[in-house]
Amino acid sequence: MEIVLNGESHTLPADCNLERLITDLQLTGKRLAVELNQEIVPRSQFTDTRLKSGDHIEIVHAIGGG
Amino acid sequence: MAAASEFMNNVQDTPLTIAGKRYHSRLLVGSGKYKDLEETRLATEASGAEIITVAIRRTNIGQNPDEPSLLEVISPEKYTLLPNTAGCFTAQDAVRTCRLARELLDGHNLVKLEVLGDEKTLFPDVTATLEAAEILVKDDFDVMVYTNDDPLIAKRLEELGCAAVMPLAAPIGSGLGIRNPYNILTIVENANVPILVDAGVGTASDAAVAMELGCDGILMNTAIAAAQHPVLMASAMKKAIEGGREAFLAGRMPRKRFASASSPIDGIIA
C-alpha cells in the first residue's frame, strides 16, 4: 500500500503498524516524534497503530537551529 | 577593609528565571549554522549558555542511521533545550511543531514560538504569533515568543501568558545590532516577564548594549556561528553579556556634552 511519508510517496507491505515502519527505516531507538494524519502518536502506541493506504506520516527529529 | 569580591557579593544579581526555572547564564544560543557538530559542541560550551535552541525537522528517510545526531552533543540531560518553530509561516504549523517537539522531548514544554511573515525580512507575523501564543499557553506550553520591537505587542504577549518575550533588535541573521534601543528600553520597563533580545546582535558590543538597556538576556545564533572563529566569539559574547549586565546594575554615569577632568585642579605645578 502507498502512504505519504515526510511529504514523499512510500510503499509499505499490507498490514503494517507504526513500529514496523520505524524498524524498517532503521530509526529504532532514535529520538523522534511521529504525526499520523496530523495527530501525534505517542511512542507507547506505535505497535498498536495500524497504518492504512493514504495515511500521511511525519517523522521529525531535532537538528541545529537558532 | 572589605575585599572588592565581598562588596560584589552584596550586590549580587538575581538569576534569570524562566517558567519557574533559574539560570546562571543570560546568554541563550542557537545550534544552527555551524560547520559541524564538533564546532557546535565547542562553541556552545564556550558560551556558557544553559538554554540551547534546536529546530524540529523531518527525518531524512534512508540516511545513514549511524550518523551522529545533534542531541548527542547538545544533550537534554546537560542543557535545557528550547525547540523553536523557525520556518513556520502560519499559527497552525507553529502549534503543530511545538506539539511534535514536546513529544520528541518527553513532555518538555518550554518552546520558542516564532511565526514568520515574510521570507526576505523574517519579520514576525504578529497577528499569527498572538494567535499561536494563545493556543500554546492554553495547551500548557511555556512560551518564549519572538516578536518585533513593538512595546504594545510585547505587553499583549505577556498578558496572554507567555513565559518570556523576545523582541528582535534587527532582522534575524543580519548582525545589524540594536537598531531601536528606545523601543527595547520601553519594552523592558513595561515588562513583568523576562525580556530577551532575540535576533540582530552582530558582535560583543551589541550584546553589551542590549544588556545595558536592562534586557534579561539575549538569544543569538548567527553572531557566533558566522564569526571567523565561532568558539572565541562565543566566549566574547559570554563576557559581553556579563559586562553589560553588571554595567546595567551599576548604573551608568550621565552623559555630558563637554569635558570634566578626572584629576583635581588643585596642586598643579604650573
Side-chain angles (χ1 to χ4, degrees):
Chain A
M1 63 180 173
E2 291 289 315
I3 59 162
V4 180
L5 173 61
N6 285 1
E8 309 261 325
S9 178
H10 190 88
T11 306
L12 287 185
D15 201 24
C16 185
N17 65 28
L18 202 45
E19 184 71 37
R20 167 80 192 278
L21 174 64
I22 298 290
T23 307
D24 287 355
L25 294 172
Q26 297 183 281
L27 293 173
T28 308
K30 300 275 178 195
R31 220 181 238 278
L32 43 81
V34 178
E35 221 183 37
L36 170 61
N37 301 325
Q38 300 209 12
E39 293 286 332
I40 304 262
V41 184
R43 245 162 284 171
S44 58
Q45 291 173 22
F46 283 1
T47 310
D48 295 333
T49 303
R50 312 206 72 76
L51 301 177
K52 57 183 190 317
S53 185
D55 276 344
H56 279 69
I57 294 172
E58 296 285 352
I59 304 178
V60 301
H61 65 158
I63 62 161
Chain B
M1 199 164 35
S5 60
E6 225 172 286
F7 178 80
M8 293 289 286
N9 285 339
N10 293 336
V11 290
Q12 212 171 28
D13 196 4
T14 51
L16 172 64
T17 304
I18 298 170
K21 192 171 169 189
R22 292 164 155 231
Y23 300 94
H24 301 291
S25 172
R26 293 177 179 275
L27 172 57
L28 289 69
V29 297
S31 53
K33 295 183 176 173
Y34 287 103
K35 184 176 70 184
D36 52 32
L37 286 177
E38 181 61 4
E39 192 180 73
T40 312
R41 185 181 71 78
L42 291 171
T44 306
E45 203 175 299
S47 75
E50 296 161 284
I51 301 178
I52 320 296
T53 63
V54 299
I56 304 298
R57 290 291 180 270
R58 284 172 166 165
T59 304
N60 293 325
I61 304 301
Q63 80 172 17
N64 175 7
D66 297 325
E67 197 172 299
S69 81
L70 176 71
L71 299 190
E72 286 166 31
V73 294
I74 308 295
S75 89
E77 287 74 39
K78 186 172 176 191
Y79 296 104
T80 295
L81 296 190
L82 181 60
N84 69 23
T85 64
C88 291
F89 283 81
T90 65
Q92 191 204 11
D93 284 350
V95 169
R96 265 178 85 189
T97 302
C98 289
R99 288 178 177 152
L100 281 165
R102 181 161 62 183
E103 172 62 20
L104 182 76
L105 297 172
D106 305 318
H108 168 81
N109 57 8
L110 185 69
V111 290
K112 174 187 159 183
L113 171 64
E114 59 179 271
V115 187
L116 304 173
D118 172 62
E119 287 191 20
K120 186 173 177 183
T121 61
L122 297 181
F123 282 147
D125 179 331
V126 169
T127 50
T129 301
L130 288 163
E131 189 191 332
E134 192 165 7
I135 296 168
L136 290 169
V137 168
K138 281 187 184 146
D139 198 7
D140 293 325
F141 282 96
D142 294 322
V143 181
M144 300 179 70
V145 57
Y146 163 71
T147 184
N148 60 16
D149 59 10
D150 179 340
L152 301 179
I153 295 298
K155 196 66 192 170
R156 184 86 185 87
L157 288 163
E158 176 187 320
E159 287 163 357
L160 280 176
C162 291
V165 176
M166 307 200 289
L168 57 81
I172 294 172
S174 70
L176 288 174
I178 317 300
R179 301 319 304 164
N180 200 345
Y182 293 102
N183 273 29
I184 300 290
L185 183 62
T186 305
I187 291 170
V188 168
E189 285 173 349
N190 288 344
N192 294 309
V193 292
I195 301 296
L196 296 93
V197 156
D198 177 8
V201 166
T203 187
S205 53
D206 297 333
V209 167
M211 294 310 292
E212 287 167 10
L213 288 169
C215 289
D216 297 281
I218 303 180
L219 172 46
M220 65 177 77
N221 192 154
T222 312
I224 296 173
Q228 299 299 305
H229 298 285
V231 181
L232 187 57
M233 186 57 91
S235 164
M237 291 299 187
K238 176 180 194 263
K239 291 169 184 159
I241 283 177
E242 288 169 1
R245 180 67 183 177
E246 286 188 1
F248 167 71
L249 294 172
R252 62 153 295 146
M253 62 164 280
R255 288 176 173 84
K256 287 180 260 192
R257 188 169 166 203
F258 294 110
S260 163
S262 298
S263 304
I265 303 294
D266 286 353
I268 291 176
I269 56 165

